[in-house]
Every structure is written in C-alpha cells, then in structure tokens.
Amino acid sequence: MPASPALAALARVLDQYEGRYRELRGCPTFGEYVAASGGGADEETLTEPILASILEDVLGFGKGDYFPQMGKSGLKPDFTPTDLVTHRFVLDAKGSGESLTAHVAQIRRYVEQRSLRFGVLFNGRQLRVYPSGSASYDRALSFELVPLWRAARGEQLAVGPDFDAFAAFVEQFSHRTLSTADKIAHVRRQPSWSGRLDEAEVDVEFLVDQLRRLAGALAADAAGRLGDLTAYVDLSSDRVERVLDELRLLALDFEPGLDVATLPDTIAGWSTGSGTVGRVWRQYLLRVAYLSVTRILLYRAWEDVGFVDEMLYDGGFDDAYDRLGENVREVLRRAFLLGSDKYKTLFNAENNYEWYRPSDDVLVEVLYRLGAIPLGKLDQDALGALYVSYVDEIDRDRLGQFFTPRDVVRFMLDRAGFCGQGVFRLEGDERLPLRVFDFATGSGGFLVEAARRIIDEAGIAADDEKGLREALRAISSGFYGGEISPFPYYLTEINLLLQVSRLLGRMRVAGVEAPPFVLGVLRADSLEMKSSAAVSLDMDAGQRADRAELVPH
C-alpha cells in the first residue's frame, strides 16, 4: 500500500538532509543517523531546519505563514505561526541527543504566556505535543519519526499508534486559511483579555512583524481608495495644501535639492506618477497605513485594561457588530468616537491621514490578527522597531534620522539618574514630576522608557491611589517632546499612550478615576522654540568646574 501524501512528504523531508547526516555523523540515511551517537550539537544545523521543512512541506505553511526566531537563547520558541488565532501553537526544536522531557517547563511557559492551546517539541527522533494546562504530552498527537520513515520506504507496515498520532497531528496542525466571514465569526466569540492579562506576555518581535504585514495590506487597500481622499480634501482647500505640502517634503527626503516646481500640483498627479513621485506616493500611503493600524492598536490596548468600552475584540465586538447592522467599518468609526472622548487630539483631530477607513476585508484581518495579542501588557517600544523599517525605506543617513538602540536609551537614563525613586522630585510625602525633554523624539523611545520606569520601577503599589495619580501626573505634566516630522510625531504620541494604558488599567482596578490629561508631545521644530534671545548658559565659576545648569525652563 503506498504511503499517504503526508507520510510521503515527511519521508522526503527527512531524506533531503542526507548530506547533513554524512557531514555530522558520517551516516548516509536518517535511520542510521538517529541510531548513531556523538557528533556534537545539531540543533541549529539539523533539527531546526528539519522542523521548518515539516512546517512547510508536510503542514502546508508558506514561508510567510510563520515567524522564525531560531537560536540558543531559549527566550522564544523557534517557530510561531503568524496567524496565532487559527493556529494556536508554537514549535521548538532541540538537538537530537537531547531529552524532550528536560524542556517541558520551557514549552509550557511559551504556551501560557501567549494563551495558546499547544506547544510542540521536536528533537529529530520524536515529536511531542503538550496541551495547555497538561503536565504531560498528548500521546494521541505525539509520535516517533523512525517508524514513519521506514514505512514510507516500504520497510514496515504503516500501522500502530505512531501512524495514528501522525495522521491526527497533520489534521490538527495543518495550515488553514479562513474567509472574512470565518474571521468575523471567530472575533465575535472571543473572550475579553481584561481578565486574562496577569500571566500573559507580549512577544514584541512577533507584534512588530505582524504590524509590518498589516501595514502593507492597509497601504495596498488605501491605494485603491483615492476617492475617499478626494472627497475629504474637497471639503477644504486647506486640506489639499496640507497633503501637497507633506508630499513635497517627502520628495525632498528622497531627493534633496529637487526643484519642487517640477512636482505635481494635484493629488491625482501624485497618485499616478512614476519615479520619485511614485515612490513618494507609496511612502505617503504607508504613513496612512501605519497611523491606521497603530490607532487600532492603541484602542485595543485600552480595551484590554478596561479604559474604554470593548468594541474591536475583547468580547464587546459581538454586541457592537449586531447593534451596528453587522457593519465592521461602522464599528471602527464608533470605537474611534469613544476613543476621542478619552483623547481627542489623536482620535478626532485634523491630519493628513484621517481620511482613510480600511475596507471590510483588510479591517477584519487587522482585528483578527491583533486579537491574539494581549496588548494591555505591552511594556516595550514596539513602534520604535516599526519606525526603523519605515525610515530605512528612504535613506535615514541622508535624513539624519537614527534609531537609538534601546539598551543605549536605558544606559543614558541610568546615567542621568532617572531610575528607581529618582524618577520623581520628592517633597515631603509627595512625588512631584521631573521634567524630561526629548527635543527630537523620532518614535518616542526615550519618553517610552522613562514612562515605563515610572510605571514599573518607582515602587508604586497597585492599590496606592495617591501614587497612581502622581505617576500619571509625572508623565502628563513632566514629559515634553518635540518632533518636526508629522509622521513620527504621531507615532510618539501613540507609543507613549500605549505605556500610559498600563497605568490607566491599574488605576481602574484600584477604583481610581483617571482625570482628563494631554501629553506634552508637540509637532514642532525644537530649535525654533525659543522664548527669548539666544544667551549662553548662566554659570558661575564653581559650576564651570564640572557641571552646568540650564536656568530657564
């Protein structure tokens, strides 16, 4: 009897590494390699590549359908499906000489942190599936590889528990593509993250990868919605000029010294242009897409911590979708209206990007993909990494825009003494704000890390009502940021608000009502923001020895 297609595919995967078997252990076949001993560690050279091939050739995942994070750090699983909603599992490879039992705690931690269903361990000899909440592997989904390989070669019958488990594994873990209707149905029945955040963690690299993919889909969608932009700008001549001004500035980023008189004077001219004009238009649409996805990201984070009504995922989507005539774009519009009640300048302000509302299919994809991530626990600068990829598409050397590595940010704040209780100015029993000024924020990395320190490292207890209010005041009235470029300015504001979200969540749990607040982030050229004539630093002789103080605020 011929082998099943899945079994034959598995055998092909195992046979294609015969050169590696010879190199590592001098064995010509998979069976002999597994039976041999010695040869040193082979996780990175053999078992990880084999597991990747099983994902692709046996389970049907394309290279863009999973996120590889291979290495020896042990901090993340080797393979994570990009769609963690339908494929609620992660896979991790170990060396063929390692016992999988020694790594059970690690794979269970991966599963619990991401609220998944399964974790898969693989060492080239065995594949074991560990369900969430179980102390042992599921024998009905776990199998030895040698009997399967031999049966595919006709050396034994394809019967027994390993073959049943392999068939069940392929059925359970194969790649699936859902329709838009299926994704809506899935989002409608998902529970709130607000009661599940304690043990959850955010994999920032995975989140950034998802945001890049979603931004690409949104940019492509925005390219087909030129009519929406036209309708928006037709209502005001100021809007037309603002958009054209931004496009001209982008063109100068691409080609400094370009004669702007040669550029299109209509939006239609930009949208149909080629060369530099076409590149500028694509970059503008990417800005539109980034702002759209990050505003959804922020609202979702606010949902997770209970700061706003649940509308986009956390259990509340089902009710909102019914109430609004099963119109997903209307659900988004209503969510942004609720968001504007909490922070008007971001959700209900005039800018060059607000005209765009995603089409149904791509909007559902965004809600569906972000739904698997506990955004209320985001405690790192995810948007900074996203901004790096955006700037790199132009030429950041020419722009003078550089991403400060986050370990450098931490080092600089440490050297400035902004850590522990040093994040406040203490007067008696009151914590007063320290002024923190970033004069060219980029995506806001310095302010984000400073806010994280106030929230996580200042020793404020979760039930300390006075301390929570002081923490919010320290960020809202102590932090200042200036950014000349409109796009990173918005990223800074959203990035900082994502950190404040966690503080707002703690305040809600403690029964503390957050007062209205506005962050001190301005779209401005910091070099022009002088309130008086330029003067030298006001120092006396003693100060010149080893320190100086800037006297005016």
Side-chain angles (χ1 to χ4, degrees):
M1 178 182 296
S4 70
L7 189 59
L10 176 64
R12 286 194 297 272
V13 166
L14 299 176
D15 287 341
Q16 76 184 31
Y17 289 92
E18 288 180 352
R20 204 74 56 89
Y21 305 145
R22 289 191 179 91
E23 178 184 344
L24 294 173
R25 292 183 186 170
C27 300
T29 68
F30 169 73
E32 292 177 73
Y33 182 86
V34 171
S37 60
D42 59 2
E43 178 180 334
E44 294 185 38
T45 56
L46 184 66
T47 58
E48 283 178 351
I50 288 178
L51 186 54
S53 296
I54 290 174
L55 258 178
E56 295 177 16
D57 299 336
V58 178
L59 300 179
F61 282 75
K63 290 190 181 296
D65 295 328
Y66 65 90
F67 184 47
Q69 296 171 299
M70 297 180 287
K72 296 182 178 179
S73 68
L75 300 177
K76 296 175 182 177
D78 291 328
F79 302 104
T80 302
T82 55
D83 180 355
L84 273 182
V85 185
T86 297
H87 309 105
R88 296 182 58 199
F89 58 87
V90 291
L91 308 96
D92 207 36
K94 302 300 174 186
S96 62
E98 296 186 62
S99 167
L100 295 182
T101 304
H103 301 282
V104 172
Q106 182 186 57
I107 196 69
R108 290 183 64 192
R109 184 171 69 251
Y110 295 152
V111 170
E112 291 164 3
Q113 288 170 347
R114 294 160 175 78
S115 297
L116 303 176
R117 290 185 62 192
F118 301 106
V120 178
L121 281 177
F122 174 80
N123 65 1
R125 297 179 290 112
Q126 303 161 321
L127 185 146
R128 290 181 175 175
V129 176
Y130 295 84
S132 173
S134 175
S136 60
Y137 65 91
D138 187 342
R139 295 181 182 276
L141 292 170
S142 306
F143 49 86
E144 302 283 331
L145 274 78
V146 170
L148 304 176
W149 176 75
R150 286 178 176 160
R153 292 163 62 93
E155 297 174 4
Q156 74 174 67
L157 295 176
V159 293
D162 287 317
F163 299 91
D164 295 338
F166 174 69
F169 173 80
V170 172
E171 173 65 25
Q172 176 69 52
F173 291 88
S174 287
H175 182 261
R176 293 175 173 81
T177 301
L178 301 186
S179 68
T180 296
D182 291 335
K183 291 172 183 175
I184 289 175
H186 180 93
V187 174
R188 294 186 72 166
R189 60 177 179 264
Q190 295 312 298
S192 172
W193 269 113
S194 61
R196 302 185 288 145
L197 287 178
D198 288 345
E199 302 301 322
E201 291 186 12
V202 179
D203 182 337
V204 174
E205 285 184 57
F206 176 75
L207 172 60
V208 171
D209 181 73
Q210 293 284 57
L211 292 175
R212 286 196 188 105
R213 294 168 187 265
L214 293 172
L218 288 163
D221 181 58
R225 304 193 69 86
L226 183 59
D228 291 353
L229 174 57
T230 302
Y232 173 78
V233 299
D234 281 349
L235 295 177
S236 168
S237 59
D238 289 344
R239 291 176 176 176
V240 176
E241 284 308 310
R242 283 202 306 269
V243 173
L244 291 176
D245 284 344
E246 181 165 348
L247 293 170
R248 294 182 190 113
L249 288 173
L250 261 174
L252 291 173
D253 286 342
F254 280 106
E255 290 190 29
L258 178 70
D259 182 1
V260 295
T262 64
L263 297 173
D265 58 1
T266 65
I267 290 173
W270 283 95
S271 67
T272 58
S274 58
T276 297
V277 170
R279 290 180 66 198
V280 167
W281 181 249
R282 289 190 294 274
Q283 202 71 13
Y284 168 69
L285 292 179
L286 199 55
R287 286 184 173 186
V288 171
Y290 277 159
L291 184 64
S292 180
V293 73
T294 51
R295 289 205 298 181
I296 294 172
L297 179 82
L298 178 62
Y299 193 91
R300 270 288 330 284
W302 282 358
E303 285 183 328
D304 288 358
V305 300
F307 185 57
V308 293
D309 290 344
E310 296 171 343
M311 294 281 287
L312 301 183
Y313 183 77
D314 296 327
F317 177 82
D318 185 39
D319 176 64
Y321 190 64
D322 269 342
R323 183 161 34 88
L324 298 173
E326 299 189 348
N327 185 330
V328 69
R329 296 182 76 200
E330 181 61 20
V331 172
L332 179 67
R333 190 186 73 83
R334 203 63 68 91
F336 281 2
L337 283 176
L338 293 174
S340 70
D341 288 340
K342 300 294 186 181
Y343 203 83
K344 186 179 294 291
T345 61
L346 184 63
F347 286 102
N348 191 24
E350 283 264 332
N351 60 57
N352 290 339
Y353 321 116
E354 65 169 338
W355 60 269
Y356 172 62
R357 290 292 182 271
S359 302
D360 286 0
D361 289 351
V362 70
L363 174 56
V364 169
E365 184 70 13
V366 173
L367 302 183
Y368 171 79
R369 290 294 182 99
L370 294 183
I373 303 172
L375 296 172
K377 289 294 290 288
L378 183 59
D379 61 354
Q380 298 181 50
D381 176 15
L383 300 190
L386 190 66
Y387 181 55
V388 169
S389 63
Y390 167 84
V391 174
D392 280 345
E393 290 184 19
I394 306 177
D395 182 349
R396 61 176 172 176
D397 289 345
R398 189 170 64 243
L399 290 177
Q401 296 180 5
F402 295 92
F403 178 81
T404 307
R406 291 322 178 221
D407 54 348
V408 175
V409 170
R410 291 189 289 270
F411 172 80
M412 292 175 70
L413 288 173
D414 287 344
R415 295 293 291 168
F418 196 87
C419 51
Q421 287 295 315
V423 301
F424 295 105
R425 180 164 54 88
L426 302 178
E427 290 189 5
D429 64 348
E430 189 172 9
R431 303 177 184 93
L432 298 177
L434 278 177
R435 290 182 176 130
V436 178
F437 177 44
D438 185 346
F439 50 85
T441 62
S443 63
F446 279 95
L447 298 180
V448 166
E449 173 62 17
R452 189 197 66 76
R453 294 181 178 213
I454 288 175
I455 296 167
D456 294 336
E457 298 178 1
I460 298 175
D463 58 353
D464 181 356
E465 297 185 14
K466 178 172 178 287
L468 293 171
R469 289 193 180 95
E470 289 170 335
L472 180 60
R473 180 177 63 177
I475 296 171
S476 62
S477 64
F479 285 16
Y480 299 86
E483 174 54 53
I484 191 172
S485 181
F487 175 61
Y489 156 71
Y490 286 116
L491 287 187
T492 294
E493 195 163 34
I494 293 172
N495 220 357
L496 191 53
L497 283 169
L498 283 167
Q499 287 304 302
V500 174
S501 297
R502 296 187 301 116
L503 181 59
L504 296 173
R506 294 179 191 179
M507 296 177 75
R508 180 187 63 83
V509 171
V512 179
E513 184 174 352
F517 67 92
V518 177
L519 299 177
V521 181
L522 301 174
R523 185 194 166 192
D525 182 353
S526 299
L527 297 179
E528 293 183 350
M529 295 174 65
K530 294 182 178 179
S531 57
S532 59
V535 294
S536 179
L537 296 179
D538 185 5
M539 296 183 289
D540 59 31
Q543 287 174 320
R544 290 192 186 96
D546 62 358
R547 67 188 189 278
E549 295 178 2
L550 181 62
V551 174
H553 171 24

